[in-house]
Amino acid sequence: VQLVQSGAEVKKPGASVKLSCTTSGYTFTNYFIHWVRQVPGQGLEWMAMVSPGVGSAYPQNFRDRVTLTYNTSTSTVFLELSSLTSDDTAIYFCARDQVSRRYVIPAAAFDIWGQGTAVTVSA
Amino acid sequence: EVVLTQSPGTLSLSPGERATLSCRASQTISSRFLAWYQQRPGQAPRLVIFGASNRATGVPDRFSGSGSGTDFTLTIARLDPEDVAVYYCQEYGSSPLTFGGGTKVEIK
């Protein structure tokens, strides 16, 4: 099982960024994928989760700026974050649920992680 | 939203010593939905404990988790230099999923 994320991005304030997480080694539609970010030197922040055919969820503070999509033919999940500010400068990780589930909440622990994508927002 | 408060912020111990990390929740949570992650410098997090007390695959048995209600503990029985990392607790039974602020474990 592997999650491979897209490369580093540099964006200007106000722009959008679209990150990818390509999965392999398991049945893509059976597991939720989560996005977690980490501002340099700080902790982990959950941003969203999605599973094809089950649903998605977002915390309130990201609901208006995050769009999750997926491509089942390439087993890839995409995260698009809009209206970027310098506060969005962070490492963005995707992670897979530990167990297969057919409901949004409660979730599961994250047992497989991508390598992370650095996003820098600077004028 | 469940707020998780971890203590201490930093733990500095000698190899072979016992490390005790605390995670306190702002409300009662089910132990089924409490996890611990290890994040070594420059790496992605790694699942250590799920369901409060279950070791993830490949995790050494010197790691153990316990607790219920609002108080949870991660114990490293005999600290090894490879355990140097930041450890985060996570609640995943309700939305939004939340993480604690982390405890940094250092070797003296």
Side-chain angles (χ1 to χ4, degrees):
Chain A
V1 177
Q2 202 172 9
L3 306 181
V4 177
Q5 298 186 233
S6 49
E9 301 268 8
V10 179
K11 295 291 182 181
K12 294 196 181 302
S16 297
V17 67
K18 190 170 184 178
L19 311 178
S20 68
C21 174
T22 300
T23 74
S24 61
Y26 71 97
T27 302
F28 175 68
T29 51
N30 284 359
Y31 290 80
F32 275 80
I33 291 290
H34 301 259
W35 289 89
V36 175
R37 77 177 183 181
Q38 186 169 38
V39 171
Q42 296 190 23
L44 303 172
E45 182 178 24
W46 178 71
M47 297 180 68
M49 63 175 166
V50 65
S51 177
V54 179
S56 60
Y58 314 77
Q60 185 68 40
N61 57 321
F62 286 111
R63 201 155 293 170
D64 294 336
R65 295 202 297 137
V66 166
T67 302
L68 288 179
T69 56
Y70 51 84
N71 183 326
T72 53
S73 64
T74 61
S75 301
T76 301
V77 175
F78 301 92
L79 171 82
E80 185 167 18
L81 183 63
S82 63
S83 304
L84 293 169
T85 72
S86 57
D87 291 342
D88 294 313
T89 294
I91 306 293
Y92 290 75
F93 295 99
C94 61
R96 196 200 74 165
D97 259 6
Q98 185 185 28
V99 297
S100 177
R101 55 189 170 94
R102 303 300 294 174
Y103 45 84
V104 176
I105 289 292
F110 308 163
D111 68 338
I112 307 293
W113 292 69
Q115 83 276 19
T117 295
V119 175
T120 302
V121 183
S122 174
Chain B
E1 173 176 334
V2 177
V3 176
L4 299 175
T5 302
Q6 293 188 239
S7 61
T10 301
L11 200 51
S12 187
L13 297 167
S14 300
E17 287 195 299
R18 183 184 190 88
T20 302
L21 288 66
S22 172
C23 176
R24 179 161 290 175
S26 59
Q27 59 191 259
T28 297
I29 63 173
S30 170
S31 59
R32 292 174 57 200
F33 305 120
L34 193 285
W36 291 91
Y37 297 86
Q38 174 194 67
Q39 187 177 33
R40 293 178 175 134
Q43 295 186 14
R46 169 201 182 196
L47 179 64
V48 177
I49 297 286
F50 64 95
S53 60
N54 303 285
R55 273 190 303 277
T57 302
V59 173
D61 61 7
R62 63 178 179 274
F63 287 88
S64 64
S66 63
S68 63
T70 60
D71 291 310
F72 298 87
T73 300
L74 175 69
T75 301
I76 309 173
R78 298 165 302 282
L79 196 63
D80 185 280
E82 72 175 14
D83 302 333
V84 168
V86 179
Y87 292 82
Y88 296 95
C89 57
Q90 179 205 31
E91 196 277 339
Y92 50 92
S94 61
S95 186
L97 283 63
T98 56
F99 291 91
T103 290
K104 185 177 184 179
V105 174
E106 300 177 334
I107 293 285
K108 274 184 186 175

